[in-house]
């Protein structure tokens, strides 16, 4: 779309006004309301490959991919067919289906640290249940998480969380009793001394350390060298469990997730997003000895009416089996596309003289409007969010939809092309030029 042709959002604005009377903020998940970037959020009506269309007929190149699941692009034909086929046989049974075993086999084969897993309907449920299991299996109450990591919206995990919690600058959430928050020790990411100090202070009381092994929810923040291995060593020594929340990174940064990429095996893993192929799905897994503590075998209760839903399983199997079959091409392609766009835009910013820090691991990246390197939450929040908001708006006006917050990672899919990348870099050049002129 030429820059001169101003995007019309009449229908979306109308839909937003209606939604605001029906849903708080007009949304079912806060960041969708565009409060951090301003402007009326486009209402999505269709997606195909790397593109989205809104209710006014505007087309966008999609860089958030439903926040991660759409790694093969929108309406990928094998996924659509799998969902249609499953739906024709009934959307739900509330009884066991063969497809749960099929997806479980695929996941367990890809993640050697997992011997058994349980499916749930969201990433939130996966991490919440993993924490309960970790506490039961260690008979300890405290948990360690990291500032800026987001593990869904269960009470104890919202303390100093990332994603929307970081976007709106709230320290946690109202409605979480202090008595619950008390058991969550929130430490700076990438700081192994803070972890040592917490274990020294609470010796024998810490059930687990949970983290996003590559953080996506304060923007993309990779682990520093040997950080994950150090966490592995400390948790082993202290007999606490190490939980990798790979809801975002699983099947994204590598087929076997961050644990394959960095060669560090956690005790427990949580998954979501990609394993549901765009349908509601999550999972948590570990070695059998831990997982067999779940009901009906053990004393830890966990259940779900729609857990292992046949449509979600079908979409997950179609997605994961495609990734498995084309593993080498898929991850090489995602790496090449993502490197090209992340570095291309960074180079334009450098040429113009704007401070931009680019963090990237595979098809997961963030352009921070920050002068310093971003290694934790403290450095992430030095970003100039007002400038990010203007950049976001300028990109959207050129038909490129980035995640609507400085503190969310961007994603690419196998449906993106090098032409899309070239178009993005040229749009970013214009957008950044505009910002530079304004700030001068
Ligand atoms: C998205 C996400 C979650 C929460 O998953 P939902 O399906 O939104 O509940 C948890 N952890 C991480 C790392 C995530 O990126």
């Amino acid at each position: 779309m030429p820059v001169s042709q101003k995007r019309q959002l009449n229908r979306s604005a109308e839909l937003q006004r209606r939604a605001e009377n029906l849903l708080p903020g007009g949304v079912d998940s806060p960041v969708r309301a565009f409060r951090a970037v301003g402007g009326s959020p486009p209402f999505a009506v269709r997606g195909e490959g790397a593109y989205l269309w809104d209710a006014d007929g505007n087309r966008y190149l999609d860089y958030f991919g439903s926040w991660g699941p759409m790694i093969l692009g929108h309406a990928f034909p094998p996924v659509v067919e799998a969902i249609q086929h499953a739906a024709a046989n009934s959307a739900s049974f509330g009884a066991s289906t063969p497809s749960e075993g099929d997806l479980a086999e695929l996941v367990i084969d890809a993640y050697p640290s997992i011997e058994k897993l349980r499916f749930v309907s969201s990433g939130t449920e996966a991490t919440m249940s993993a924490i309960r299991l970790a506490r039961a299996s260690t008979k300890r109450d405290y948990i360690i998480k990291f500032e800026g990591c987001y593990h869904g919206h269960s009470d104890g995990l919202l303390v100093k969380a990332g994603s929307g919690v970081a976007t709106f600058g709230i320290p946690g959430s109202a409605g979480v009793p202090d008595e619950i928050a008390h058991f969550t020790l929130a430490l700076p990411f990438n700081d192994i001394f803070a972890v040592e100090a917490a274990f020294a202070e609470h010796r024998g009381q810490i059930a687990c350390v949970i983290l996003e092994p590559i953080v996506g929810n304060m923007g993309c923040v990779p682990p520093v060298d040997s950080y994950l291995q150090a966490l592995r060593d400390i948790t082993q020594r202290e007999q606490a469990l190490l939980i990798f929340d790979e809801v975002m990174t699983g099947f994204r940064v590598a087929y076997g997730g961050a644990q394959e990429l960095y060669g560090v095996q956690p005790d427990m893993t949580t998954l979501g997003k990609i394993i549901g192929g765009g349908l509601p799905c999550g999972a948590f897994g570990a070695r059998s000895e831990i997982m067999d503590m779940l009901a009906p075998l053990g004393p830890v209760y966990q259940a779900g009416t729609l857990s292992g839903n046949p449509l979600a399983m079908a979409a997950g199997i179609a997605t994961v089996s495609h990734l498995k079959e084309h593993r080498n091409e898929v991850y090489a392609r995602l790496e090449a596309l993502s490197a090209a766009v992340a570095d291309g835009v960074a180079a334009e910013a450098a040429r113009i003289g704007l401070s931009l820090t680019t963090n990237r691991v595979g098809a997961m990246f963030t352009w921070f409007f920050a002068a310093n390197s971003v290694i934790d939450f403290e450095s992430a929040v030095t970003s100039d969010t007002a400038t990010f908001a203007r950049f976001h708006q300028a990109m959207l006006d050129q038909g490129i939809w980035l995640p609507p917050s400085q503190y969310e990672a961007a994603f690419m899919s196998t449906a993106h092309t090098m032409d899309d990348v070239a178009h993005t870099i040229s749009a970013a050049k214009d957008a950044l030029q505009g910002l530079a002129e304004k700030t001068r």
Side-chain angles (χ1 to χ4, degrees):
M1 189 190 322
V3 191
S4 54
Q5 186 190 322
K6 188 71 181 152
R7 215 165 33 106
Q8 295 293 315
L9 279 177
N10 300 331
R11 183 71 186 133
S12 282
E14 208 174 286
L15 289 165
Q16 177 66 13
R17 278 193 297 277
R18 177 184 70 161
E20 283 176 7
N21 288 323
L22 305 169
L23 311 165
V27 293
D28 290 312
S29 203
V31 181
R32 293 180 199 171
F34 270 47
R35 294 290 162 103
V37 290
S40 200
F43 274 56
V45 295
R46 189 167 83 81
E48 192 185 325
Y51 287 88
L52 293 178
W53 284 262
D54 71 14
D56 292 277
N58 300 303
R59 188 184 83 154
Y60 304 91
L61 183 55
D62 178 6
Y63 277 99
F64 65 110
S66 184
W67 304 97
M70 312 315 280
I71 192 165
L72 302 177
H74 293 276
F76 185 64
V79 175
V80 174
E81 281 156 32
I83 295 170
Q84 284 171 336
H85 185 259
N89 287 322
S90 180
S92 185
F93 301 105
S96 294
T97 65
S99 59
E100 293 162 81
D102 294 341
L103 187 55
E105 273 178 359
L106 279 167
V107 173
I108 288 167
D109 176 55
Y111 291 76
S113 66
I114 302 179
E115 288 176 354
K116 283 187 181 172
L117 58 76
R118 177 160 286 177
F119 289 112
V120 290
S121 297
S122 67
T124 294
E125 283 176 82
T127 57
M128 182 180 77
S129 303
I131 296 287
R132 182 178 304 146
L133 195 48
R135 283 176 164 151
S137 104
T138 56
K139 300 191 170 62
R140 300 171 178 181
D141 290 336
Y142 282 89
I143 65 170
I144 288 177
K145 78 172 288 287
F146 298 96
E147 294 165 6
C149 282
Y150 179 69
H151 305 292
H153 58 86
S154 69
D155 285 351
L157 289 171
L158 274 180
V159 180
K160 297 198 176 163
S163 190
V165 185
T167 299
F168 301 114
I170 41 186
S173 172
V176 176
D178 290 344
E179 289 79 357
I180 289 177
H182 170 78
F183 288 109
T184 303
L185 308 173
L187 309 180
F189 187 70
N190 269 335
D191 177 354
I192 208 66
F193 298 106
V195 177
E196 287 286 15
F199 272 104
E201 194 182 333
H202 299 276
R203 183 134 287 140
Q205 298 180 293
I206 296 171
C208 62
V209 173
I210 184 169
L211 74 155
E212 299 179 63
I214 302 158
V215 191
N217 286 292
M218 54 175 145
C220 180
V221 180
V224 294
D225 270 357
S226 75
Y227 178 67
L228 298 179
Q229 186 58 50
L231 290 177
R232 177 65 288 179
D233 295 344
I234 295 173
T235 46
Q236 211 136 36
R237 185 190 76 209
E238 301 290 339
Q239 295 171 344
L241 300 183
L242 181 61
I243 306 177
F244 278 3
D245 179 357
E246 298 228 43
V247 168
M248 186 182 284
T249 53
F251 294 102
R252 165 140 312 263
V253 295
Y255 186 69
Q259 49 198 274
E260 176 188 290
L261 194 64
Y262 293 95
V264 176
Q265 301 293 300
D267 297 296
M268 302 182 79
T269 301
T270 55
L271 293 163
K273 299 198 168 111
I274 290 173
I275 62 161
L279 271 76
C281 186
F284 59 105
R287 48 186 183 271
S288 304
E289 157 214 351
I290 296 174
M291 294 306 288
D292 286 348
M293 291 188 70
L294 284 175
L297 297 182
V300 181
Y301 196 71
Q302 194 286 329
T305 302
L306 296 176
S307 293
N309 173 266
L311 270 60
M313 295 296 107
I317 292 163
T319 301
V320 173
S321 48
H322 181 92
L323 293 174
K324 181 178 182 178
E325 203 173 320
H326 304 276
R327 185 176 168 161
N328 293 340
E329 302 123 76
V330 161
Y331 293 98
R333 177 180 174 82
L334 289 172
E335 170 64 27
L337 286 163
S338 307
V341 78
D343 298 348
V345 171
E348 291 302 338
R351 200 163 300 144
I352 294 165
L354 271 174
S355 298
L356 198 71
T357 295
T358 305
N359 281 0
R360 184 181 71 84
V361 180
M364 185 174 153
F365 57 90
T366 300
W367 293 298
F368 289 98
F369 285 82
N372 50 281
S373 59
V374 176
I375 56 155
D376 55 15
F377 190 61
E378 199 186 335
S379 45
V381 297
T382 65
S383 302
D384 179 351
T385 52
T387 300
F388 170 82
R390 295 212 305 275
F391 177 65
H392 185 272
Q393 188 69 51
M395 293 297 276
L396 206 58
D397 283 339
Q398 296 179 83
I400 292 167
W401 193 334
L402 301 172
S405 165
Q406 176 70 93
Y407 305 118
E408 300 283 359
F411 303 110
M412 293 190 92
S413 75
T414 53
H416 286 76
T417 64
M418 278 298 177
D419 280 349
D420 292 330
V421 166
H423 171 54
T424 305
I425 295 170
S426 114
K429 184 180 171 186
D430 286 355
L432 294 168
Q433 193 71 56
L435 295 179
E437 275 154 25
K438 245 178 226 168
T439 50
R440 249 169 225 146

